[in-house]
Amino acid sequence: MAMTGTYLYLSPRLPSVDVLRDVRDQEPLRVYSNDGLLMGEFGEMRRTPVRFDQVPERMIQAFLAAEDDRFLVHGGIDIPGLIRAAWELATTHSIQSGGSTITMQVARNYFLTREQSFMRKFTEILLALRIERELDKHQILELYLNKIFLGYRAYGVEAAAQVYYGRSIRELSLSESAMIAGLPKAPSTGNPLENPARALERRNWILGRMLDLGYIPEPEYRQALAEPLTVSYHGSHIELDADYAAEMVRAEMIHRYGTDAYTGGFVVQTTIEGKIQRQAQAAVIGGLLAYDQRHGWRGAERHLEEPASAWPAVLAGMPPVAGLEAAIVTEVGDKSISLQLANGSPVSLGWEQGLSTARPYISSDYRGPLPKTAAEVVRRGDVVRLQTKEDGSRRLAQVPAVQGAMVSLDGKDGGILALVGGLDFRQSKFNRAAQALRQPGSNIKPFIYAAAMEHGFTPASMINDAPVVFQDPGLEKVWRPENDSGKFYGPTSLRNALVNSRNLVSIRLLQQLGIPIAVDYLAALGFQRDSIPPNLSLALGTLVTTPLQVASAYAALANGGYRVQAHLVREIRRVSGEVLERPEPLRACPECTSMAQPSPAEPESIEKLVAQGAVPSPAPPVALAPRVMDPRAAYMIDSILKEAVKRGTGRRAMELKRDDIAGKTGTTNGPMDAWFSGYVGTLVTTAWLGFDQNTPLGKNEFGGSAAVPVWVAFMREVVRDLPHQERPRPEGLVSVRVDPQTGLLAAPGQGNAIFELFPLENVPSVTPDGDEYQDPYTPDEYNTHEIF
């Protein structure tokens, strides 16, 4: 009566088996580069579902032998199996074969908790019976093999094969399949990584059961029994070091999908390009190490007083940072040292492997004398870092205290091609590319000048570079700005002022332009309005922003004046292949705005022509980015920034031997920050160096000396095969011969005249002598003539 009552009570409350027909396995979020390289995996469960017909027969037989050899004949519960389990418990004090059928385990895994009670067990039996009535055996086995927990975050047989062997189930031997089949009994404590002896014993028992059940012949059994355990942990094989970008995607997915992002089997394809990302990573690390070596040896990372027997354990807890491996000094010679690595291997360093140049760090501006012996550098028990060079040799190094960031994006649509947020994500998860609010210094000047050129100024406009004192009510005290050189150069054209980053000209220009105009202009480019100081210091880049935002603004200079949105996500889909989102970014398309719109009668005729093969199918419409900069202003600034690379503060970039590089350095007071932002065609890249604590970099560390080399190291490989980028001059902009001293039209026959760019409406009308210029051309003719 009690059993009947329990059945009548529970039966209406049982969950529907229909849920199993559409079960969605929990799978982690996986983030890939645009070229298909795994950048990150997020989520507690590793799961890779497989269909029943993808599971090898020997693996199915191994699980049946281990868990439920009567699975194919029983109806959900197995009375002989329960009796056998009870006998094993009585005679051996352990249960090898288990008391639950595979169907009962499916019921428990999908619907029930691990609570040990009669009610829960009875519910499990009822569910198993219902599952057997509504699903076939193959469906039940498929659910089981994809759901079962097998240790080390692995759920399902395919995930387990990858975790323990680094291979698919289709590539496993009989012995390896039997080992995995033995895991459900004790996945955490009986797996071969935690308890090899117990796992081996369980594997051999399963092989014996397979022999007894007639699944395998004697020779195959003997061969599998003789195989040793060959497991090792195979975590997620991250193929591309792009942790900062992957973390940005993770945060975005949580924002969109909540915590389901960790379990919903989402696959995100990003805009990151593997080759470009690797080059950015190498350039930033190389630049930070170079800076560090310029400023001296700060001493050992730590000193161990523990006995030598404890050293390996200490090293095991010190993973590499930016490729720099930890080592302990075991012996110090006159001009050499011996060290021990984490794996116990000995290493020796000679005098020229970083010891001879290890001048002690005193401050960011000073170093001590060169050492004369190795004992002046390290002592026994010191933990130091070793850098491995490309030829395999090692040298003494240290983890840099300085930090850096780099962003490279496609100026046509804002797709982020590479992003590096610091020296090493494992050392610091703070993303300096997207989160660090820093002053850009002179990196902001091109936008102040662009605003001026949209309000009547030209590259030839003259402003006096002379001492000045400002009592700006927006500033706390009297302000006496200076040029970096400490010199003053008198009347200077805006072209020369920007090429040479003249501070006083920039301040006077902003004063004449008007601060509100500049603030509105910068806000239109995407800078946060509340971070823009409404005073004249703005001309020197005292707003706070991120490298990502700076690169995005420079994209408007590279693409002809369009504001594009920096973005990482190209596509979001399920692991099944179902596409959930495919964002269409706004694109800069100068040629699109000039295309004639078809008349209402044209579409039908076009369709006929396409059908006849007379014309190709029209391209899909482009979502246009908003224009925020006059194309003529963008072209004039581009011209000046190319000259800044050829002969100005960015001339180190000419190491690339290209004449289509445009860029601008930036250095803040201290100097605290070193910047270089530049582009080739529409490939836009910003590099930044600085200390998280906002302390000085050193008196000789400027944008041109610290940031440009990092930018060049990155661009050297990225643009190696990129053809020269010729930029068409926009309509309404002409080149005119002018007097370099005044910016006015050159007199006929003037020997030192230079060509300068002017919007048609701003071409000067007088010569230095005051003569009125008689314009020989109509406005349309200016687009096809150079004016002399």
Side-chain angles (χ1 to χ4, degrees), residues 462-476:
M462 306 300 290
I463 291 182
N464 196 21
D465 185 354
V468 65
V469 176
F470 289 104
Q471 292 185 318
D472 189 330
L475 301 173
E476 296 180 357

Side-chain angles (χ1 to χ4, degrees), residues 637-638 641-642 645 660-664 676-680 711:
I637 297 299
D638 172 77
L641 295 185
K642 284 184 169 70
V645 170
D660 57 348
I661 302 172
K664 182 71 185 74
F676 186 74
S677 296
Y679 52 89
V680 173
W711 190 93

